Amino acid sequence: MRKLFTFFLILSSFVELNAQGVRGTVTGVDGETLPFATIYVQETGSGTSTNQEAYYELQLKEGNYTIQFKFVGYETVIKEISVNDKFIQLDVQLPKQTLLLDEVTTTAKATDPANWMMRKAIAKSSYHRQQIDSYSATVYVKGKIEITAIPFYMTSIMKKEGIDDETIIITESVSEVSYKRPNQFSEKVISIYASKKTDVNANPMRFIAGSFYQDEIASVISPLSSKAFRYYEFKHLGAFMDGDILINKIKVVPKVAAPNVFEGEIQLVEDDWALFRVDLNAQVELGIKVRICQEYQKIEDLAWMPITHQFDVNGEPMGFGFEAKYLASMNDYTLELNPALPKSIKIIDKEDAELSVNSPEIIEKASELNAAGNQKQIAVKAEDLSKIMKEYGETQKDSLARQDVIGVYDFEVDSGAYNQDSNFWAQIRPIPLSTDETRGYAKIDSLNVIKQVADSEDSVKNVKKKTFQFTDILVGGDYRIDSANRLDFKIYNPFLNIQYNTVEGLNIDYSLGLKRFISIKYDTTGGRGAVDRTYFNRESYALIKPTARYSVARNKVIGKILTKYQFKTGDVEFRVGRYIQQFNDDPAVEPLLNTSFTTLWEQNFMKIYEKDFMKLNFTRKFSVKTKLSAAIEYQERRRLNNNADFSIVDWDREFTPNYPVNINPVNDFDGQHALTANVKIEYQPFIKYVIRNGVKRPVIQRDARFSLEYYKGFKNLAGSDVDFDRIEVGYRDEFDFGAKGRTYLNTKFGAFLNNESLGFMDYAHFPGNRAFITQKDPVESFRLLDYYRFSTDQYYSQAFIFHRFRKLFITQIPVTRFMGLKEGIFLNYLYTPDSNNYTELGYSLDGIVRFFRIEVATQYENMQYKGWGLRIGIATTLGGNVSVNVDNDE
């Protein structure tokens, strides 16, 4: 052991003797340490920063270097050094920054000068974004996560993983990245150093590909967005000189302090109106707080590019407290400018005497000027530049843009990325590890050794878990029964399918499944090697699934069999058997929700009938935007009566009969035979795509949908008693009103073209609700409407409008917005010949404990008030349901 220690001591001394460069600490003139100060080496185009202890260490080849030291609130200090065969100790003190106010305020109009500065910067943001034709760089990323709190119910589980509330997880990576206009990124990770492989987060493009010159960065509105003045107010804090460049400091203040907007400071280069520094805070989903700091440098006197990125993230989602810090430094930049744009554009005001160049002249003459090496500055008015760049962007759309592809991302990890030792990292690491980071590595490494031993001891147990156990009959199990893992046998957990209703009493479904997985072949001839998976299923398989259902109150066993084939672009399903179904099988009431209300509140909302049936379903996706579905079913329908009246709590209520109540008499259907079919086509127009590692995937930027559905009942065919035709058109959309909020709209219009003969289950039903707890989509459900009261066999229309405000009543208080609370108002409307213009108007408070909402709704008929109700929702995402129903086939 002593010999081994001596060997490493000699080895590390050898590494030290053969390294040279510069190192030291960065402080202010008052002696204050400056952690994460930016350091830029002009000759190498490399950016780095001090660690949290304000220490830095740069390994440099022999030669002369010019090094800049920067920190917010301090003046930039430039040092020229000569590096020979050893390290130079260079401790740097930065003087306090002196703000120059008069130089900029003299040109201010009636408003704060920050306003006209930001208008110029916003007008030029598209130019800055398209100015870079391509670049490449080497990126170092260091991530550190500290666990600060673990909820009590996860303490033992996390402890087994070696994680407690003092755990520090460290990851580092070095990558080669490149960019090609407009949005093509590639990255190769050449080295990774991590606490363990599962901790690796080695993709720096997630941090550096986002640009503040875009409208949004990570779903947060950028201060340089074209709609920034809807969300922000700007205040000029002064200016300072960085060498011979004037830098303006601008405070960014959200008009409505809320999640998904920034607050903080940006710094702009005078005349160029490019970013010099960014220091902004925002809160995103689940109450997670993010701070983004970026330092920019003019690379090769061509363009301002970020050289260091700092991301501080903290939060306590679901009781898990954490603090994370990511540092990324850019090195070895090489740039190429867009030859179709002028190298310099000056923004002039309306009243300036200087002549503005119009759009055609800018674009047409740019190539000629650049080819001749002409550095002449072209002037253009601020209000014209955005339009010019938009027109230019349209002319520059390549084949990908014409296919609505908004980004191409390639990522790979070199096969030897994990093989570098600590000595390698000691030499290549541009940001030295701090004391606690070194301790974090050591602690997790030792825990990993212990865990590897424990995992090997548990290997026998792990194998046993994959084989059949007798208890699986009661609790379920999943088994791969062939060596290729393509054939799967499953026992579905029956406890998740125990329910109660007044017809069957206690009932239980017991299902088995045999699934055969089938390989999917993808077309790779779509250009640029992209495999199009935008509308393909994740897997192809054939399934057979029998289900038995036992009813205690009826003392009866019924069942069904599902056979299903899922292929690349759709699926085919065939079901046959005797089973239970709701009259509105949307469904009107989730079975588990009905179970709780029947047993606890003595309210049986669900109404069911029994059917002997055969049903064939077919779905086919023609693209990510277009989907066709169809079904044909034959039923023999039987009426069911209540057989059970158990409830845990006696509320002195009577259970209602198992029959839907409609405003008109409902015809009896007992013994009715019905052959019915329906076909539906759906279209989503506003979908874009990204290509990641050659795979094309959809990105929904605006969730607009159109649908057309046709229903048919066939008279006398196969003994069918029904005869009807119904058509329905649907439209759903959402509209952003900036700081005013967002509006969601959902409408349907339908009519029976023929209603000669039909059962009540063939009526048009509407998403009613009588329970005080609801799982339904807030933009697709009524809050107080009886489930079947206005079901109709004539014509109808329904509309749901929900507007979510950025602030309204409670959310006028900033702390409530940052708690994740959101307020909204909704208007629901139903028209049928008998509905009396049924209307609901209500208020919604969403985001309570992140997952719940409370709503107060009022109802009206022909503008006459009918009542009100309080509802608790368990879905907080507009446009989707959170369902606890387990009664599905697959």
Side-chain angles (χ1 to χ4, degrees):
M1 188 65 160
R2 182 178 300 173
K3 291 181 179 179
L4 186 61
F5 175 78
T6 304
F7 170 76
F8 279 112
L9 182 62
I10 295 172
L11 179 61
S12 45
S13 299
F14 177 79
V15 171
E16 174 73 16
L17 289 172
N18 284 271
Q20 68 274 332
V22 59
R23 60 190 174 193
T25 57
V26 179
T27 61
V29 290
D30 54 1
E32 179 186 5
T33 58
L34 303 180
F36 311 114
T38 298
I39 303 168
Y40 178 70
V41 183
Q42 183 173 310
E43 286 73 16
T44 62
S46 300
T48 185
S49 67
T50 59
N51 64 15
Q52 68 187 46
E53 295 160 351
Y55 177 75
Y56 74 97
E57 185 173 291
L58 290 171
Q59 295 205 24
L60 300 170
K61 297 179 181 179
E62 292 188 18
N64 299 320
Y65 297 93
T66 303
I67 305 179
Q68 299 182 21
F69 298 85
K70 304 180 179 184
F71 193 79
V72 179
Y74 291 82
E75 292 184 12
T76 298
V77 169
I78 300 175
K79 296 287 186 180
E80 294 184 356
I81 63 169
S82 295
V83 175
N84 43 40
D85 60 351
K86 60 182 180 179
F87 269 100
I88 298 172
Q89 184 71 26
L90 181 61
D91 297 327
V92 179
Q93 286 189 331
L94 306 186
K96 283 285 188 179
Q97 200 171 72
T98 302
L99 291 183
L100 310 172
L101 296 175
D102 295 338
E103 280 74 4
V104 290
T105 55
T106 53
T107 59
K109 312 300 185 286
T111 61
D112 192 295
N115 291 323
W116 59 262
M117 290 179 181
M118 288 303 301
R119 287 191 181 95
K120 290 184 176 183
I122 291 168
K124 208 170 179 181
S125 61
S126 180
Y127 167 80
H128 287 305
R129 192 170 64 247
Q130 301 189 61
Q131 181 188 19
I132 307 301
D133 192 63
S134 64
Y135 74 77
S136 63
T138 301
V139 184
Y140 166 81
V141 176
K142 178 170 67 177
K144 179 177 71 172
I145 301 177
E146 297 185 56
I147 307 301
T148 59
I150 299 174
F152 70 92
Y153 55 88
M154 290 294 292
T155 302
S156 59
I157 297 175
M158 300 299 284
K159 188 175 182 179
K160 290 180 181 179
E161 296 295 321
I163 296 175
D164 55 31
D165 57 8
E166 295 181 353
T167 295
I168 299 177
I169 299 173
I170 313 292
T171 65
E172 294 178 276
S173 69
V174 175
S175 302
E176 296 172 347
V177 299
S178 63
Y179 162 83
K180 178 69 178 175
R181 187 177 57 85
N183 281 308
Q184 299 178 52
F185 299 92
S186 66
E187 173 187 357
K188 182 178 182 179
V189 181
I190 59 176
S191 189
I192 297 172
Y193 190 28
S195 304
K196 52 184 176 180
K197 287 189 178 184
T198 54
D199 292 337
V200 172
N201 195 348
N203 185 355
M205 273 302 173
R206 296 185 312 109
F207 306 112
I208 65 178
S211 171
F212 280 96
Y213 293 123
Q214 296 173 319
D215 279 353
E216 293 184 10
I217 179 169
S219 301
V220 186
I221 303 298
S222 169
L224 294 177
S225 165
S226 57
K227 50 188 177 183
F229 278 95
R230 299 185 200 172
Y231 293 89
Y232 299 108
E233 294 176 349
F234 302 101
K235 181 179 180 182
H236 191 258
L237 300 178
F240 63 92
M241 298 300 299
D242 188 80
D244 57 354
I245 300 172
L246 184 64
I247 307 299
N248 293 287
K249 300 179 66 173
I250 294 176
K251 187 175 182 180
V252 178
V253 182
K255 290 184 175 180
V256 178
N260 296 326
V261 290
F262 285 113
E263 183 174 10
E265 179 185 306
I266 62 173
Q267 297 178 6
L268 298 173
V269 180
E270 180 84 8
D271 291 332
D272 201 9
W273 304 116
L275 286 169
F276 182 79
R277 181 180 284 123
V278 169
D279 189 353
L280 295 171
N281 299 280
Q283 180 175 301
V284 293
E285 296 299 323
L286 300 178
I288 296 174
K289 298 177 181 178
V290 180
R291 180 188 179 192
I292 302 177
C293 300
Q294 293 179 332
E295 292 279 350
Y296 290 72
Q297 182 73 33
K298 198 162 191 179
I299 306 297
E300 300 175 359
D301 201 32
L302 295 176
W304 292 90
M305 299 289 291
I307 56 170
T308 61
H309 306 255
Q310 180 179 328
F311 299 84
D312 296 326
V313 187
N314 65 82
E316 227 175 280
M318 302 291 293
F320 284 93
F322 72 97
E323 294 179 0
K325 183 182 293 290
Y326 288 91
L327 299 173
S329 62
M330 312 290 294
N331 303 296
D332 305 321
Y333 260 123
T334 59
L335 295 183
E336 287 190 17
L337 296 183
N338 183 351
L341 292 179
K343 292 180 179 177
S344 180
I345 290 182
K346 180 181 179 181
I347 306 292
I348 60 175
D349 295 318
K350 295 180 181 179
E351 60 273 20
D352 287 347
E354 187 173 356
L355 294 177
S356 173
V357 178
N358 60 34
S359 171
E361 289 176 322
I362 287 181
I363 304 305
E364 291 174 9
K365 291 184 178 181
S367 298
E368 178 183 341
L369 291 170
N370 291 334
N374 194 332
Q375 298 296 322
K376 179 182 177 181
Q377 191 175 63
I378 295 177
V380 62
K381 293 179 181 178
E383 64 269 23
D384 294 335
L385 184 57
S386 296
K387 180 180 178 182
I388 291 170
M389 294 309 302
K390 183 177 180 180
E391 292 173 354
Y392 170 71
E394 291 295 323
T395 65
Q396 293 296 299
K397 281 188 175 180
D398 62 7
S399 59
L400 287 176
R402 287 190 289 271
Q403 298 174 48
D404 291 326
V405 174
I406 60 176
V408 180
Y409 306 89
D410 293 320
F411 173 75
E412 66 172 308
V413 178
D414 187 87
S415 58
Y418 290 96
N419 298 333
Q420 306 296 346
D421 60 17
S422 57
N423 292 322
F424 167 85
W425 280 96
Q427 296 179 63
I428 200 172
R429 183 183 291 124
I431 305 173
L433 294 179
S434 62
T435 303
D436 66 338
E437 290 169 345
T438 304
R439 187 175 64 250
Y441 266 130
K443 179 178 179 180
I444 296 297
D445 285 344
S446 62
L447 289 172
N448 286 339
V449 173
I450 296 172
K451 189 174 186 303
Q452 288 173 5
V453 174
D455 288 344
S456 64
E457 293 174 351
D458 290 341
S459 59
V460 176
K461 295 180 181 179
N462 294 334
V463 171
K464 187 177 180 181
K465 288 180 181 178
K466 296 179 182 178
T467 60
F468 175 78
Q469 306 293 309
F470 183 77
T471 54
D472 293 348
I473 296 175
L474 300 177
V475 298
D478 198 351
Y479 326 95
R480 294 295 170 92
I481 57 177
D482 69 328
S483 58
N485 287 332
R486 307 297 294 172
L487 191 61
D488 183 83
F489 178 72
K490 184 174 183 178
I491 301 174
Y492 293 82
N493 190 326
F495 290 101
L496 298 176
N497 289 279
I498 297 176
Q499 300 162 8
Y500 182 87
N501 60 64
T502 54
V503 173
E504 301 174 289
L506 192 68
N507 59 86
I508 183 172
D509 281 9
Y510 196 88
S511 301
L512 306 175
L514 184 65
K515 180 184 288 187
R516 176 73 180 183
F517 294 94
I518 303 168
S519 300
I520 295 179
K521 294 182 179 180
Y522 295 97
D523 181 12
T524 59
T525 62
R528 305 201 185 188
V531 176
D532 191 343
R533 293 186 186 170
T534 53
Y535 61 98
F536 297 140
N537 289 317
R538 295 180 61 89
E539 58 187 11
S540 178
Y541 61 84
L543 168 72
I544 181 168
K545 180 185 176 184
T547 298
R549 183 182 183 95
Y550 175 67
S551 162
V552 174
R554 299 175 69 198
N555 192 24
K556 186 174 183 181
V557 177
I558 57 177
K560 61 183 178 179
I561 296 177
L562 163 70
T563 57
K564 178 178 180 179
Y565 171 58
Q566 179 169 291
F567 52 96
K568 185 165 62 174
T569 58
D571 57 66
V572 180
E573 299 176 346
F574 178 72
R575 295 174 176 83
V576 62
R578 174 176 293 179
Y579 213 68
I580 300 300
Q581 182 164 315
Q582 296 188 50
F583 287 87
N584 177 8
D585 201 41
D586 189 35
V589 188
E590 298 289 1
L592 287 181
L593 190 64
N594 181 76
T595 297
S596 63
F597 271 85
T598 301
T599 57
L600 297 176
W601 300 93
E602 220 169 18
Q603 293 176 300
N604 56 324
F605 297 126
M606 190 169 72
K607 308 302 176 185
I608 57 179
Y609 67 99
E610 186 178 75
K611 64 177 183 178
D612 293 341
F613 74 102
M614 293 186 296
K615 185 175 184 179
L616 180 67
N617 290 81
F618 173 78
T619 61
R620 171 74 160 84
K621 299 175 185 177
F622 295 97
S623 71
V624 70
K625 298 181 179 181
T626 308
K627 176 183 176 181
L628 174 72
S629 58
I632 184 168
E633 182 177 15
Y634 184 83
Q635 296 183 4
E636 181 180 348
R637 300 161 170 172
R638 284 185 290 275
R639 180 174 176 175
L640 298 174
N641 296 314
N642 287 338
N643 296 288
D645 59 1
F646 170 79
S647 65
I648 297 174
V649 181
D650 185 2
W651 293 88
D652 292 328
R653 296 191 182 109
E654 293 290 333
F655 285 120
T656 58
N658 180 49
Y659 207 69
V661 177
N662 187 257
I663 197 168
N664 296 310
V666 177
N667 295 328
D668 190 20
F669 61 89
D670 197 35
Q672 185 183 61
H673 293 76
L675 179 63
T676 61
N678 70 285
V679 59
K680 181 178 183 180
I681 187 165
E682 298 174 272
Y683 179 64
Q684 291 180 266
F686 305 113
I687 294 181
K688 303 291 184 181
Y689 309 93
V690 296
I691 298 176
R692 298 185 186 275
N693 280 5
V695 178
K696 186 178 179 182
R697 301 189 186 278
V699 176
I700 299 176
Q701 297 182 324
R702 174 184 169 190
D703 191 13
R705 307 183 188 189
F706 298 89
S707 64
L708 175 64
E709 190 162 10
Y710 185 80
Y711 303 82
K712 174 66 178 174
F714 298 93
K715 180 70 172 178
N716 296 326
L717 189 60
S720 174
D721 301 323
V722 298
D723 182 10
F724 64 88
D725 296 87
R726 173 162 69 105
I727 190 169
E728 182 178 276
V729 178
Y731 168 60
R732 180 169 188 149
D733 211 338
E734 53 190 50
F735 307 94
D736 189 6
F737 290 95
K740 300 297 182 182
R742 193 172 188 86
T743 295
Y744 300 82
L745 170 68
N746 190 356
T747 61
K748 287 183 180 179
F749 307 90
F752 279 83
L753 310 178
N754 159 37
N755 61 356
E756 288 296 321
S757 176
L758 63 166
F760 187 73
M761 56 286 291
D762 302 315
Y763 278 41
H765 303 290
F766 308 106
N769 178 60
R770 292 295 308 281
F772 66 83
I773 296 177
T774 176
Q775 299 171 256
K776 295 290 187 179
D777 180 353
V779 199
E780 201 172 61
S781 62
F782 293 97
R783 309 308 197 269
L784 306 174
L785 177 67
D786 286 348
Y787 296 102
Y788 298 104
R789 184 184 179 196
F790 296 127
S791 297
T792 185
D793 62 351
Q794 299 185 59
Y795 47 88
Y796 58 91
S797 64
Q798 63 180 8
F800 304 94
I801 302 174
F802 191 107
H803 183 82
R804 173 172 282 172
F805 293 89
R806 294 182 68 81
K807 64 176 181 178
L808 185 58
F809 302 124
I810 296 175
T811 49
Q812 292 282 350
I813 306 170
V815 67
T816 62
R817 298 193 293 272
F818 290 109
M819 288 170 59
L821 297 181
K822 304 178 182 70
E823 291 179 286
I825 58 173
F826 56 87
L827 174 67
N828 304 328
Y829 175 78
L830 174 65
Y831 177 79
T832 74
D834 303 306
S835 68
N836 300 318
N837 293 298
Y838 180 85
T839 306
E840 293 179 349
L841 181 64
Y843 164 83
S844 173
L845 180 63
D846 200 354
I848 299 171
V849 199
R850 304 291 175 187
F851 296 100
F852 297 92
R853 71 177 187 274
I854 293 179
E855 297 178 329
V856 178
T858 56
Q859 61 182 168
Y860 306 84
E861 292 182 22
N862 287 332
M863 304 299 291
Q864 299 296 313
Y865 172 76
K866 293 295 181 179
W868 71 282
L870 183 70
R871 296 293 180 257
I872 299 175
I874 62 173
T876 60
T877 301
L878 293 173
N881 292 346
V882 174
S883 176
V884 296
N885 180 35
V886 297
D887 184 25
N888 54 32
D889 286 310
E890 184 61 23

